[in-house]
Amino acid sequence: MKKSNKWETRFLEMARLVSGWSKDPSTKVGAVIVRPDKTIASVGYNGIARGVKDTETRLGNRDQKLLYTVHAEQNAILSAKEPLNGYSLYVWNIHPCAQCAASIIQTGIKNIYLPSNTDIISTKTITRWIESFKAAEIMFREAKVKLNYIK
């Protein structure tokens, strides 16, 4: 865990702000992709795909919601209008899952910044996702994508 610098804090706060745009009643996640020159390439939040109705029924039924939802990291990647090789990703407030990890790795993103309370060892971790989070950590380690937990 590292102490953040002002830019890391700003981008993590921006990811927190973006997470508030999600209509998910239980989990709000935001992602910000940042270029090496500290400018923003893309943002994303978890939500039902564009053009698909985000009804209360779909959002209220966990199984149905998971079928329709695009994760914040994937939304940010899909919304980017440029290659992301060497960029950084800031995620608020949950660890990337294995599927998002695969997408992150494939884009060439090299650094991920998360608040320190998202460490997968934490007792606050959502237990139903723990295996996916563990697989993501293995994938990141093998692909040399650095996870940075910020205070």
Side-chain angles (χ1 to χ4, degrees), residues 64-122:
Q64 202 172 49
K65 176 181 71 174
L66 290 175
L67 290 174
Y68 287 82
T69 296
V70 180
H71 290 185
E73 302 92 329
Q74 291 173 323
N75 255 332
I77 289 167
L78 293 168
S79 296
K81 304 296 185 213
E82 62 198 76
L84 304 174
N85 193 42
Y87 287 19
S88 295
L89 172 67
Y90 293 78
V91 180
W92 184 272
N93 67 358
I94 194 166
H95 193 286
C97 70
Q99 285 190 324
C100 286
S103 295
I104 292 164
I105 291 164
Q106 289 297 93
T107 67
I109 289 171
K110 290 299 176 190
N111 285 290
I112 301 172
Y113 295 86
L114 304 148
S116 59
N117 64 347
T118 59
D119 187 344
I120 67 165
I121 307 304
S122 169

Side-chain angles (χ1 to χ4, degrees), residues 18-69:
V18 171
S19 75
W21 302 346
S22 172
K23 292 182 181 179
D24 188 317
S26 64
T27 308
K28 297 186 182 300
V29 183
V32 177
I33 299 174
V34 178
R35 297 178 187 98
D37 69 356
K38 296 184 176 43
T39 58
I40 297 164
S42 185
V43 299
Y45 56 90
N46 60 311
I48 292 179
R50 285 185 202 122
V52 178
K53 294 177 184 172
D54 53 2
T55 63
E56 285 186 38
T57 302
R58 288 180 178 159
L59 290 168
N61 177 310
R62 183 178 182 279
D63 292 333
Q64 202 172 49
K65 176 181 71 174
L66 290 175
L67 290 174
Y68 287 82
T69 296

